[in-house]
Amino acid sequence: NLNCFVAEEGWSIIGIDYAAQEARIAACGSKDDLWLATFIEGKDLHSEVCKLMFGITDDLVKTKPEFLRGKTYRDAAKTINFGVLFGMSKFKLSKSLSITIEEAEKLIIQYFEATKQLKSYLDNCSNYGLKNGYIRSFKPFSGIRWFPQWKEGLDSYKDFKVIGEITRASYNSPIQMSGALMTKIALSKIRNYILDNKLEDKVRLIHVVHDAIYCEVRQEFAEEFSKIQSQMMIDAGKEFNLILPMLTDICISPYWTK
């Protein structure tokens, strides 16, 4: 239980994370009309995707059709939204939703019919990784992930296990690398701000979990610094020249919470 980590008396823990960081980065990379419009209009991505996938209206999004065995239409879309970015197979989806492999395959086909630009983007990433043996982060940064199992002419060898591994990594590595670089840039900005403004007696940079940055801050300064930290994290996102701005969720608490 994270609640066991308590701030020192007179201090608060500020936890700020990026809101849907990887999904927003994926939307920018793919330029998928549905994903972009959903974020721009402030709508729920999973609901919007499931409506197009299944051809349903708003009032049916959280209903549970018999073939999903207790899951809602939105549940299915959410599982696929996150899963496709990591190369989720029909076998994995079948297990996650407790449906048949045939049903899972049909859902994936329906999903990519609704998100054709996302499918094209992921295919391009996969082809790049298979051709070159590495994949890169988003510009202007030059993060790179090498695939040590890669060999020239991989396709001709028909090494399906290696092809699958590289394909999945090529899907998610640009997104994850860019998200990690963004968080590192934010960390640098926060640290420099603390040092430049001589705030060491008011602010302690204490922890990072994925895209969430935690500081311990004196209570009387917590509200003010939470806004400063949030803006620095948003500014870090701007360095990638993305179509969408990065947003944050702020939590101020006497203990560590998610």
Side-chain angles (χ1 to χ4, degrees):
N1 192 328
L2 298 179
N3 296 3
C4 67
F5 296 96
V6 180
E8 183 179 341
E9 187 175 351
W11 294 65
S12 295
I13 292 178
I14 295 174
I16 304 180
D17 69 325
Y18 285 104
Q21 184 196 50
E22 292 187 357
R24 295 177 81 86
I25 292 173
C28 294
S30 66
K31 298 180 175 61
D32 186 85
D33 290 336
L34 175 60
W35 280 48
L36 285 175
T38 297
F39 284 123
I40 290 170
E41 295 169 15
K43 295 180 179 179
D44 176 63
L45 177 64
H46 310 310
S47 296
E48 295 306 303
V49 168
C50 86
K51 285 193 295 182
L52 199 55
M53 269 183 71
F54 298 106
I56 59 175
T57 52
D58 284 320
D59 57 312
L60 296 176
V61 163
K62 293 187 178 180
T63 59
K64 300 176 180 179
E66 186 177 344
F67 78 95
L68 286 177
R69 297 168 179 80
K71 300 286 199 314
T72 67
Y73 286 113
R74 185 183 180 280
D75 291 333
K78 181 178 180 179
T79 300
I80 302 174
N81 272 337
F82 290 127
V84 295
L85 301 182
F86 297 90
M88 174 183 275
S89 69
K90 60 185 178 183
F91 305 103
K92 175 68 174 177
L93 181 60
S94 168
K95 186 175 181 180
S96 297
L97 293 179
S98 300
I99 58 178
T100 67
I101 294 171
E102 292 74 18
E103 288 170 330
E105 184 176 27
K106 183 179 178 181
L107 284 184
I108 292 173
I109 291 171
Q110 288 177 252
Y111 179 85
F112 282 126
E113 278 296 314
T115 57
K116 291 180 179 177
Q117 290 153 295
L118 178 65
K119 177 68 163 62
S120 177
Y121 165 74
L122 294 175
D123 286 344
N124 288 338
C125 288
S126 171
N127 292 335
Y128 187 95
L130 291 169
K131 179 181 177 181
N132 297 287
Y134 66 87
I135 196 75
R136 290 189 176 277
S137 66
F138 284 32
K139 295 178 180 180
F141 300 95
S142 55
I144 188 167
R145 176 177 179 178
W146 295 95
F147 303 128
Q149 70 272 50
W150 179 85
K151 54 195 172 192
E152 194 169 357
L154 182 66
D155 287 338
S156 64
Y157 290 99
K158 300 298 180 186
D159 191 334
F160 295 113
K161 181 175 183 294
V162 173
I163 288 172
E165 290 171 353
I166 292 176
T167 293
R168 287 188 292 274
S170 296
Y171 281 0
N172 66 63
S173 291
I175 297 165
Q176 288 188 314
M177 276 195 289
S178 300
L181 285 168
M182 188 183 298
T183 303
K184 289 179 181 179
I185 292 167
L187 277 168
S188 177
K189 288 178 180 292
I190 295 166
R191 177 182 181 275
N192 290 339
Y193 187 91
I194 293 170
L195 296 177
D196 292 346
N197 292 277
K198 297 180 172 54
L199 295 174
E200 295 93 330
D201 62 336
K202 290 185 177 181
V203 182
R204 302 163 180 162
L205 187 54
I206 58 171
H207 199 31
V208 184
V209 181
H210 300 300
D211 63 350
I213 300 175
Y214 295 87
C215 289
E216 194 171 23
V217 184
R218 288 197 179 274
Q219 286 177 353
E220 66 273 14
F221 189 48
E223 189 70 36
E224 180 180 348
F225 188 75
S226 69
K227 296 174 183 176
I228 294 169
Q229 179 181 329
S230 173
Q231 188 58 55
M232 285 188 283
M233 292 174 69
I234 291 169
D235 289 344
K238 293 177 181 177
E239 299 198 20
F240 288 80
N241 301 316
L242 300 173
I243 300 170
L244 297 171
M246 290 294 112
L247 303 179
T248 61
D249 293 319
I250 300 173
C251 178
I252 302 174
S253 173
Y255 48 83
W256 182 16
T257 183
K258 289 182 70 176

